[in-house]
PDB file of all heavy atoms in Angstrom:
ATOM      1  N   ALA G 615       9.081  -0.014   0.384  1.00 95.00           N
ATOM      2  CA  ALA G 615       9.031   1.377  -0.072  1.00 95.00           C
ATOM      3  C   ALA G 615      10.454   1.917  -0.272  1.00 95.00           C
ATOM      4  O   ALA G 615      10.741   2.564  -1.287  1.00 95.00           O
ATOM      5  CB  ALA G 615       8.258   2.241   0.913  1.00 95.00           C
ATOM      6  N   VAL G 616      11.339   1.641   0.663  1.00 95.00           N
ATOM      7  CA  VAL G 616      12.728   2.086   0.540  1.00 95.00           C
ATOM      8  C   VAL G 616      13.403   1.404  -0.646  1.00 95.00           C
ATOM      9  O   VAL G 616      14.077   2.046  -1.456  1.00 95.00           O
ATOM     10  CB  VAL G 616      13.508   1.805   1.852  1.00 95.00           C
ATOM     11  CG1 VAL G 616      14.999   2.032   1.670  1.00 95.00           C
ATOM     12  CG2 VAL G 616      12.971   2.666   2.981  1.00 95.00           C
ATOM     13  N   LEU G 617      13.189   0.092  -0.784  1.00 96.00           N
ATOM     14  CA  LEU G 617      13.796  -0.654  -1.890  1.00 96.00           C
ATOM     15  C   LEU G 617      13.255  -0.188  -3.245  1.00 96.00           C
ATOM     16  O   LEU G 617      14.016  -0.054  -4.209  1.00 96.00           O
ATOM     17  CB  LEU G 617      13.559  -2.153  -1.719  1.00 96.00           C
ATOM     18  CG  LEU G 617      14.308  -2.803  -0.560  1.00 96.00           C
ATOM     19  CD1 LEU G 617      13.846  -4.243  -0.370  1.00 96.00           C
ATOM     20  CD2 LEU G 617      15.812  -2.747  -0.791  1.00 96.00           C
ATOM     21  N   MET G 618      11.956   0.065  -3.318  1.00 96.00           N
ATOM     22  CA  MET G 618      11.379   0.520  -4.581  1.00 96.00           C
ATOM     23  C   MET G 618      11.868   1.920  -4.948  1.00 96.00           C
ATOM     24  O   MET G 618      12.094   2.210  -6.123  1.00 96.00           O
ATOM     25  CB  MET G 618       9.853   0.491  -4.512  1.00 96.00           C
ATOM     26  CG  MET G 618       9.285  -0.914  -4.487  1.00 96.00           C
ATOM     27  SD  MET G 618       9.723  -1.899  -5.938  1.00 96.00           S
ATOM     28  CE  MET G 618       8.740  -1.084  -7.187  1.00 96.00           C
ATOM     29  N   HIS G 619      12.045   2.760  -3.951  1.00 95.00           N
ATOM     30  CA  HIS G 619      12.585   4.091  -4.238  1.00 95.00           C
ATOM     31  C   HIS G 619      14.014   3.971  -4.772  1.00 95.00           C
ATOM     32  O   HIS G 619      14.372   4.644  -5.741  1.00 95.00           O
ATOM     33  CB  HIS G 619      12.550   4.960  -2.973  1.00 95.00           C
ATOM     34  CG  HIS G 619      13.090   6.326  -3.198  1.00 95.00           C
ATOM     35  ND1 HIS G 619      12.404   7.285  -3.906  1.00 95.00           N
ATOM     36  CD2 HIS G 619      14.257   6.901  -2.820  1.00 95.00           C
ATOM     37  CE1 HIS G 619      13.122   8.390  -3.959  1.00 95.00           C
ATOM     38  NE2 HIS G 619      14.249   8.177  -3.308  1.00 95.00           N
ATOM     39  N   ALA G 620      14.791   3.106  -4.172  1.00 96.00           N
ATOM     40  CA  ALA G 620      16.180   2.910  -4.604  1.00 96.00           C
ATOM     41  C   ALA G 620      16.252   2.264  -5.986  1.00 96.00           C
ATOM     42  O   ALA G 620      17.197   2.515  -6.743  1.00 96.00           O
ATOM     43  CB  ALA G 620      16.932   2.057  -3.588  1.00 96.00           C
ATOM     44  N   ALA G 621      15.268   1.437  -6.329  1.00 96.00           N
ATOM     45  CA  ALA G 621      15.310   0.687  -7.591  1.00 96.00           C
ATOM     46  C   ALA G 621      14.603   1.404  -8.744  1.00 96.00           C
ATOM     47  O   ALA G 621      14.536   0.864  -9.847  1.00 96.00           O
ATOM     48  CB  ALA G 621      14.665  -0.672  -7.377  1.00 96.00           C
ATOM     49  N   ARG G 622      14.121   2.600  -8.530  1.00 94.00           N
ATOM     50  CA  ARG G 622      13.289   3.249  -9.548  1.00 94.00           C
ATOM     51  C   ARG G 622      14.017   3.496 -10.868  1.00 94.00           C
ATOM     52  O   ARG G 622      13.382   3.711 -11.892  1.00 94.00           O
ATOM     53  CB  ARG G 622      12.661   4.529  -9.010  1.00 94.00           C
ATOM     54  CG  ARG G 622      13.621   5.652  -8.760  1.00 94.00           C
ATOM     55  CD  ARG G 622      12.933   6.815  -8.047  1.00 94.00           C
ATOM     56  NE  ARG G 622      13.834   7.916  -7.851  1.00 94.00           N
ATOM     57  CZ  ARG G 622      14.749   7.987  -6.891  1.00 94.00           C
ATOM     58  NH1 ARG G 622      14.866   7.019  -6.027  1.00 94.00           N
ATOM     59  NH2 ARG G 622      15.538   9.030  -6.784  1.00 94.00           N
ATOM     60  N   HIS G 623      15.349   3.448 -10.889  1.00 94.00           N
ATOM     61  CA  HIS G 623      16.096   3.639 -12.133  1.00 94.00           C
ATOM     62  C   HIS G 623      16.576   2.318 -12.738  1.00 94.00           C
ATOM     63  O   HIS G 623      17.241   2.329 -13.773  1.00 94.00           O
ATOM     64  CB  HIS G 623      17.288   4.571 -11.893  1.00 94.00           C
ATOM     65  CG  HIS G 623      16.850   5.953 -11.497  1.00 94.00           C
ATOM     66  ND1 HIS G 623      16.163   6.794 -12.350  1.00 94.00           N
ATOM     67  CD2 HIS G 623      16.962   6.626 -10.327  1.00 94.00           C
ATOM     68  CE1 HIS G 623      15.890   7.925 -11.729  1.00 94.00           C
ATOM     69  NE2 HIS G 623      16.358   7.848 -10.498  1.00 94.00           N
ATOM     70  N   ALA G 624      16.229   1.216 -12.119  1.00 95.00           N
ATOM     71  CA  ALA G 624      16.608  -0.103 -12.648  1.00 95.00           C
ATOM     72  C   ALA G 624      15.828  -0.380 -13.926  1.00 95.00           C
ATOM     73  O   ALA G 624      14.661   0.023 -14.057  1.00 95.00           O
ATOM     74  CB  ALA G 624      16.327  -1.188 -11.618  1.00 95.00           C
ATOM     75  N   PRO G 625      16.432  -1.074 -14.885  1.00 93.00           N
ATOM     76  CA  PRO G 625      15.725  -1.386 -16.134  1.00 93.00           C
ATOM     77  C   PRO G 625      14.452  -2.204 -15.921  1.00 93.00           C
ATOM     78  O   PRO G 625      13.490  -2.078 -16.675  1.00 93.00           O
ATOM     79  CB  PRO G 625      16.743  -2.199 -16.938  1.00 93.00           C
ATOM     80  CG  PRO G 625      18.049  -1.994 -16.282  1.00 93.00           C
ATOM     81  CD  PRO G 625      17.804  -1.550 -14.880  1.00 93.00           C
ATOM     82  N   GLU G 626      14.421  -3.015 -14.882  1.00 94.00           N
ATOM     83  CA  GLU G 626      13.270  -3.880 -14.612  1.00 94.00           C
ATOM     84  C   GLU G 626      12.153  -3.187 -13.853  1.00 94.00           C
ATOM     85  O   GLU G 626      11.105  -3.777 -13.615  1.00 94.00           O
ATOM     86  CB  GLU G 626      13.707  -5.110 -13.788  1.00 94.00           C
ATOM     87  CG  GLU G 626      14.761  -5.968 -14.430  1.00 94.00           C
ATOM     88  CD  GLU G 626      16.178  -5.451 -14.187  1.00 94.00           C
ATOM     89  OE1 GLU G 626      16.369  -4.466 -13.423  1.00 94.00           O
ATOM     90  OE2 GLU G 626      17.106  -6.013 -14.787  1.00 94.00           O
ATOM     91  N   TYR G 627      12.360  -1.960 -13.450  1.00 95.00           N
ATOM     92  CA  TYR G 627      11.394  -1.274 -12.592  1.00 95.00           C
ATOM     93  C   TYR G 627      10.008  -1.201 -13.208  1.00 95.00           C
ATOM     94  O   TYR G 627       9.030  -1.634 -12.608  1.00 95.00           O
ATOM     95  CB  TYR G 627      11.895   0.130 -12.246  1.00 95.00           C
ATOM     96  CG  TYR G 627      10.994   0.862 -11.273  1.00 95.00           C
ATOM     97  CD1 TYR G 627      11.097   0.638  -9.912  1.00 95.00           C
ATOM     98  CD2 TYR G 627      10.024   1.747 -11.717  1.00 95.00           C
ATOM     99  CE1 TYR G 627      10.262   1.287  -9.013  1.00 95.00           C
ATOM    100  CE2 TYR G 627       9.186   2.400 -10.829  1.00 95.00           C
ATOM    101  CZ  TYR G 627       9.313   2.168  -9.483  1.00 95.00           C
ATOM    102  OH  TYR G 627       8.481   2.805  -8.610  1.00 95.00           O
ATOM    103  N   LEU G 628       9.903  -0.644 -14.396  1.00 94.00           N
ATOM    104  CA  LEU G 628       8.595  -0.408 -14.995  1.00 94.00           C
ATOM    105  C   LEU G 628       7.891  -1.690 -15.424  1.00 94.00           C
ATOM    106  O   LEU G 628       6.682  -1.805 -15.302  1.00 94.00           O
ATOM    107  CB  LEU G 628       8.722   0.533 -16.191  1.00 94.00           C
ATOM    108  CG  LEU G 628       9.123   1.957 -15.847  1.00 94.00           C
ATOM    109  CD1 LEU G 628       9.399   2.760 -17.118  1.00 94.00           C
ATOM    110  CD2 LEU G 628       8.078   2.646 -15.003  1.00 94.00           C
ATOM    111  N   ALA G 629       8.638  -2.656 -15.910  1.00 93.00           N
ATOM    112  CA  ALA G 629       8.024  -3.866 -16.452  1.00 93.00           C
ATOM    113  C   ALA G 629       7.717  -4.912 -15.385  1.00 93.00           C
ATOM    114  O   ALA G 629       6.730  -5.640 -15.499  1.00 93.00           O
ATOM    115  CB  ALA G 629       8.923  -4.467 -17.520  1.00 93.00           C
TER     116      ALA G 629
END
Side-chain angles (χ1 to χ4, degrees):
V616 170
L617 291 172
M618 290 300 289
H619 180 73
R622 69 188 182 281
H623 296 294
E626 301 84 6
Y627 184 82
L628 292 173

